[in-house]
Amino acid sequence: MHAEMTVGNSMVMLGQAGGEMKALSAALTVWVPDVDATYARALQAGATSQSAPEDKPYGHRNAGVVDPNHITWWIGSPVAASVMLLGDNMFPRTR
């Protein structure tokens, strides 16, 4: 199952565990201006690395951490070359 809804100017995505995707307490995705700095700050605050920051082929820079409460946080930002600005929001370009 997968569902998406918009609350204010934020998208909320819901998913279901299954197959290779194990059940998690919670997993949240946040868009930030600087993935690397946010990742480093999370590690300094006691999180453990799920995945180091890296540019993905779909035009995002992503990283993942797990906080001391076992919440998974996915940290992301569009890569500058693949960003379309709409008002105050950044969205990945779609073609």
Side-chain angles (χ1 to χ4, degrees), residues 2 6 17 27 38 51 57 63 87:
H2 178 85
T6 302
T38 303
S51 63

Side-chain angles (χ1 to χ4, degrees), residues 12-81:
V12 177
M13 296 187 336
L14 307 169
Q16 182 175 349
E20 294 181 20
M21 302 300 291
K22 66 179 183 173
L24 303 171
S25 301
L28 305 169
T29 300
V30 293
W31 290 96
V32 298
D34 187 335
V35 171
D36 296 67
T38 303
Y39 174 81
R41 209 166 113 202
L43 296 179
Q44 290 170 355
T48 57
S49 178
Q50 178 77 16
S51 63
E54 67 176 329
D55 292 339
K56 299 292 188 174
Y58 44 83
H60 297 169
R61 183 160 184 81
N62 288 8
V65 297
V66 179
D67 73 20
N69 294 310
H70 308 287
I71 307 294
T72 301
W73 293 84
W74 297 109
I75 305 161
S77 183
V79 175

Side-chain angles (χ1 to χ4, degrees), residues 2-14 89 91:
H2 178 85
E4 296 179 2
M5 63 182 170
T6 302
V7 178
N9 67 353
S10 299
M11 180 184 297
V12 177
M13 296 187 336
L14 307 169
N89 299 313
F91 296 92

